């Protein structure tokens, strides 16, 4: 078997449904499997999986085991030569895995491959590629020096700015939302460290792979949507766990010193505070104009009633209509993409191409009764049922 896609879910039932659907499309012509591990969700994630995707291997945990152990449980059931650790709040393109595996087969001493991640508004997520957060690198991040000197090697390592977002190359750290590697290497390294509940697990695994003499790669020839706010709600628990996670990583991999300890404590507090502040930002105002990419006029009428607003139908074969509609720059526009007529790959391309601060996006997954999206990387996403 070529590939095992391992998806760890916790209380994101609708995002999980969309994710699994996108993965199924992406592995349709491959020898591959999907493994979903549910970390004791209290929504109807398990019921949805059993009813909508009975052919998918489903592992139901009786408690929340955390990100590292949950994924390790999934990989233990995997049969593929390669595994992909994938967040449930993601959307992959139909050719994502074929492109990544073709790249993997041409590498020597391969470690982990990550891809280009964008948020629900089409904007690039810089954590798609990172450097090892040594004390100095963490300092440049916390105090924003990487923004002031993006081209200076001394300051630009946190987000691996030696590569631009569309350039393939070696990086140190990849994000756990999308990681592809050989299953044997994952097992050989021990997988995610179960002593770390969450937040530094992907940094730790990336670093341990590097220490084995392997090369980690950022591969932006495919883009994946990551609705980041779903997997990380910024609250008081987040601050505490983030602090614990960073302390875990530094104590595990770096020598202890008083200066180091004080610096990290201050740095973690500042960074966590900023993250919490970002998470409490106000959401954008509701859209003033809705555009439906579809060929379904009945759906358009139904959305007009549900959204209590006029919805303009944009037929797929008349795409120029969309561009003319977007002339209304003084209005907040929401674009709704009907997956019955538009592939996930095309959805991702539209996110990137039409990204604008005045535009938001929703997707109607195929055979689903909801539209879904996220207007901010720091907040929960939005689901609108269309029953």
């Amino acid at each position: 078997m070529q590939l095992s896609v391992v998806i760890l879910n916790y209380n994101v039932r609708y995002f999980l449904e969309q994710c699994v659907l996108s993965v199924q499309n992406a592995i349709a012509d491959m020898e591959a499997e999907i493994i979903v591990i549910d970390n004791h969700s209290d929504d109807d994630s398990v019921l949805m999986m059993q009813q909508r995707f009975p052919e998918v291997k489903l592992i139901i945990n009786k408690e929340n085991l955390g990100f590292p152990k949950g994924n390790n449980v999934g990989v233990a059931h995997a049969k593929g030569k390669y595994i992909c650790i994938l967040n449930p709040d993601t959307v992959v393109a139909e050719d994502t895995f074929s492109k990544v595996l073709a790249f993997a087969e041409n590498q020597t001493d391969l470690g982990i491959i990550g891809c280009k991640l964008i948020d629900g508004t089409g904007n690039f997520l810089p954590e798609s590629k990172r450097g090892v957060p040594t004390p100095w690198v963490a300092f440049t991040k916390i105090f924003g020096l990487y923004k002031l000197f993006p081209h200076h090697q001394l300051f630009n390592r946190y987000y691996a700015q030696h590569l631009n977002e569309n350039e393939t190359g070696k990086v140190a750290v990849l994000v756990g939302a999308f990681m592809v590697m050989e299953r044997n290497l994952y097992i050989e390294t021990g997988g995610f460290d179960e002593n770390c509940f969450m937040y530094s697990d992907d940094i730790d695994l990336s670093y341990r792979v590097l220490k084995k003499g392997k090369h980690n790669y950022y591969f932006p020839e495919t883009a994946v949507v990551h609705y980041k706010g779903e997997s990380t709600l910024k609250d008081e628990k987040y601050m505490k766990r983030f602090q614990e996670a960073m302390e875990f990583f530094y104590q595990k991999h770096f020598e202890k010193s008083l200066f180091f300890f004080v610096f990290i404590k201050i740095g973690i507090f500042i960074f966590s505070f900023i993250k919490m502040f970002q998470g409490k930002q106000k959401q954008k105002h509701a859209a003033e104009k809705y555009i439906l990419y579809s060929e379904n006029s009945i759906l358009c009428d139904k959305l007009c009633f549900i959204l209590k607003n006029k919805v303009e139908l944009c037929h797929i074969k008349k795409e120029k209509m969309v561009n003319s509609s977007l002339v209304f720059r003084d209005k907040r526009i929401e674009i709704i993409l009907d997956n019955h007529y538009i592939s996930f790959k095309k959805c991702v391309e539209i996110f990137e191409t039409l990204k604008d601060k005045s535009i938001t996006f929703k997707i109607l997954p195929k055979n689903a009764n909801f539209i879904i999206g996220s207007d901010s990387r720091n907040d929960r996403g939005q689901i609108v049922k269309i029953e």
Side-chain angles (χ1 to χ4, degrees), residues 89-361:
D89 56 343
T90 56
V91 176
V92 301
E94 283 76 5
D95 60 357
T96 289
F97 296 123
S98 59
K99 282 185 173 182
V100 170
L101 294 191
F103 176 79
E105 289 293 308
N106 289 323
Q107 308 309 314
T108 56
D109 295 323
L110 176 67
I112 306 172
I113 301 174
C115 71
K116 181 179 184 180
L117 298 176
I118 62 172
D119 66 16
T121 63
N123 289 297
F124 175 65
L125 290 171
E127 61 268 26
S128 301
K129 53 183 180 66
R130 290 172 289 173
V132 177
T134 61
W136 168 251
V137 172
F139 180 87
T140 65
K141 159 64 179 175
I142 292 166
F143 294 99
L145 298 179
Y146 72 97
K147 294 180 180 178
L148 298 175
F149 308 99
H151 304 295
H152 198 295
Q153 186 177 359
L154 187 62
F155 303 102
N156 68 6
R157 284 179 284 173
Y158 188 87
Y159 286 128
Q161 288 164 283
H162 64 287
L163 297 175
N164 67 49
E165 66 182 75
N166 296 312
E167 183 180 1
T168 299
K170 295 177 182 178
V171 296
V173 174
L174 296 162
V175 65
F178 182 98
M179 283 181 156
V180 173
M181 62 191 297
E182 289 192 6
R183 178 170 55 90
N184 287 343
L185 177 60
Y186 187 95
I187 294 170
E188 183 184 337
T189 57
F192 290 111
D193 190 330
E194 296 179 9
N195 292 313
C196 179
F197 189 80
M198 61 192 310
Y199 299 131
S200 71
D201 30 50
D202 48 5
I203 301 173
D204 176 63
L205 180 59
S206 297
Y207 189 61
R208 283 186 283 121
V209 167
L210 290 179
K211 290 172 73 173
K212 282 189 169 291
K214 304 294 184 178
H215 302 300
N216 296 333
Y217 288 92
Y218 169 67
F219 180 73
E221 292 184 31
T222 183
V224 168
V225 177
H226 180 206
Y227 297 107
K228 189 177 172 185
E230 287 306 303
S231 52
T232 309
L233 185 63
K234 279 64 173 186
D235 56 14
E236 288 73 12
K237 281 187 178 180
Y238 169 83
M239 174 184 273
K240 183 175 184 296
R241 286 177 177 168
F242 185 82
Q243 289 178 356
E244 291 172 350
M246 293 308 296
E247 288 172 359
F248 165 82
F249 179 75
Y250 286 119
Q251 290 175 7
K252 180 176 179 178
H253 294 291
F254 296 94
E255 293 183 5
K256 296 181 180 180
S257 71
L258 180 61
F259 171 79
F260 176 84
F261 178 79
V262 172
F263 168 75
I264 292 305
K265 275 290 186 183
I266 295 173
I268 290 173
F269 178 79
I270 294 173
F271 190 58
S272 301
F273 183 78
I274 292 172
K275 284 288 184 182
M276 285 184 64
F277 177 76
Q278 289 175 339
K280 293 179 179 179
Q281 287 178 336
K282 293 182 179 179
Q283 292 186 357
K284 293 182 179 180
H285 295 290
E288 299 171 272
K289 184 179 180 65
Y290 292 88
I291 302 174
L292 172 64
Y293 279 44
S294 180
E295 295 179 16
N296 188 339
S297 57
I298 296 176
L299 172 63
C300 187
D301 293 339
K302 183 180 288 190
L303 286 173
C304 287
F305 176 76
I306 293 170
L307 298 172
K308 296 179 172 55
N309 206 321
K310 178 177 172 55
V311 178
E312 178 181 324
L313 178 63
C314 176
H315 287 274
I316 310 306
K317 296 176 182 177
K318 301 176 182 178
E319 193 166 322
K320 289 183 180 179
M321 289 176 56
V322 178
N323 295 329
S324 65
S325 297
L326 298 182
V327 170
F328 297 97
R329 292 297 178 183
D330 58 327
K331 291 191 174 183
R332 290 180 290 276
I333 300 170
E334 179 151 291
I335 295 175
I336 303 170
L337 305 169
D338 186 350
N339 182 228
H340 289 83
Y341 304 98
I342 304 172
S343 69
F344 283 114
K345 180 179 180 180
K346 186 63 177 177
C347 289
V348 175
E349 290 175 355
I350 290 171
F351 276 32
E352 286 198 276
T353 303
L354 299 182
K355 64 185 176 186
D356 185 275
K357 63 182 181 180
S358 64
I359 301 175
T360 56
F361 302 95

